[in-house]
């Protein structure tokens, strides 16, 4: 073999080695980022509520070593603000067992929640019927509006039929409000809700390398997010057990369900806040903003709106100011964000 052939062979080998090396580097560079060994808990950032001035009440954090276990919220009952309520007078006491047997099979009238409550003889409180208790009166209720729309005449008629059937079964006499008045009240409430509903979402997009599900979950967990009931969904829990989450983080469900999730490539995720569902005291928008910024820095991402436009700090400041006005308006209507009434109306 001549020196020329040897030189060409060597050169060819170097070129081939370079191509292989570049290909390996390119694949490694563009492979989804993977979760890393966990840092000590003390080193991990968390989305605790902002500190308040001395003398002001501080909201509880999610650090279980510092905060007591939260108590579940009591299930809210019928409320004249957002429900049609029909009292049912009784000839005598009715047992909880009889009331339970008389309840309709479904708890809805059309698209609206329907409920029966009894006045407990022993406690004097309105409650859902319970076995072993006795009741001196009942009331039937149907919700005036929700995110599907306002209570209409057909739904009101279904409510009357269900309530009348229950009353007949317990020897009661119902008194129904005028249908047209209640339907008009439902439309007015629905209009108010439509004008003051707010669901915010920030999109976090990968600048370069994509993310694996494990990488997303690890970084979100450091901020206090926990796995949700749906694959590809994580939530930041509320301070009180049983309340809706403060924030929701979601990414491609198919990536989370892949046979080998480590090889699934996620290029964007969404952080969302359902404003009327979360108490103002939780500082939800500030925590949404902080979560987006912390995750963007940790994961080499870019915070945008749903159209891909980068969200500047000034834009976020404006959103925050608008939300404060919205909170004030809901407070004035006795529909404060996160209250039982607001959570039912905006659902």
């Amino acid at each position: 073999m001549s020196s020329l052939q040897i030189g060409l062979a060597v050169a060819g080998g170097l070129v081939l080695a370079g191509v292989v090396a570049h290909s390996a580097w390119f694949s490694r560079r563009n492979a989804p980022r993977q979760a890393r060994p966990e840092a000590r808990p003390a080193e991990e950032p968390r989305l605790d509520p902002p500190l308040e001035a001395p003398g002001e009440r501080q909201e509880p954090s999610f650090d279980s070593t510092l905060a007591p276990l939260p108590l579940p919220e009591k299930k809210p009952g019928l409320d004249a603000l957002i429900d049609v309520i029909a009292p049912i007078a009784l000839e005598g006491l009715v047992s909880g067992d009889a009331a339970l047997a008389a309840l309709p099979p479904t708890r809805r009238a059309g698209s609206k929640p329907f409920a029966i409550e009894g006045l407990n003889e022993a406690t004097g409180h309105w409650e859902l019927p319970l076995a072993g208790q006795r009741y001196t009166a009942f009331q039937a209720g149907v919700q005036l509006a929700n995110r599907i729309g306002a209570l209409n005449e057909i739904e009101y008629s279904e409510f009357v039929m269900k309530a009348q059937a229950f009353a007949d079964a317990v020897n009661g006499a119902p008194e129904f409000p005028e249908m047209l008045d209640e339907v008009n009240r439902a439309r007015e409430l629905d209009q108010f809700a439509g004008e003051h509903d707010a669901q915010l979402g920030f999109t976090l997009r990968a600048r370069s390398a994509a993310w694996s599900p494990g990488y997303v979950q690890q970084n979100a967990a450091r901020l206090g997010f926990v796995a949700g009931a749906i694959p590809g969904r994580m939530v930041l829990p509320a301070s009180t057990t049983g309340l809706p989450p403060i924030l929701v983080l979601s990414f491609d469900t198919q990536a989370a369900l892949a046979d080998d999730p480590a090889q699934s490539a996620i290029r964007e995720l969404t952080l969302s806040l359902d404003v009327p569902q979360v108490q103002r005291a939780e500082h939800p928008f500030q925590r949404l903003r902080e979560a987006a910024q912390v995750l963007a820095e940790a994961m080499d991402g870019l915070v945008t709106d749903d159209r891909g436009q980068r969200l500047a700090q000034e834009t976020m400041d404006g959103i925050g100011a608008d939300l404060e006005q919205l909170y004030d308006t809901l407070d004035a209507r006795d529909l404060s964000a996160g209250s039982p009434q607001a959570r039912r109306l905006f659902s």
Side-chain angles (χ1 to χ4, degrees), residues 213 231-233 250-258 264-270:
R233 176 185 168 106
S250 55
F251 57 88
D252 183 15
T253 301
Q254 295 302 317
L257 293 173
S264 298
I266 299 170
R267 300 209 61 84
E268 67 177 43
L269 59 83
T270 301

Side-chain angles (χ1 to χ4, degrees), residues 82-106:
I82 60 170
D83 293 306
V84 178
I85 297 179
I88 301 175
L90 300 176
E91 296 179 356
L93 292 175
V94 174
S95 70
D97 300 84
L100 289 171
L103 290 176
T106 62

Side-chain angles (χ1 to χ4, degrees), residues 65-77:
T65 63
L66 299 177
L69 291 175
L71 297 175
E73 185 192 52
K74 183 180 178 182
K75 183 178 177 61

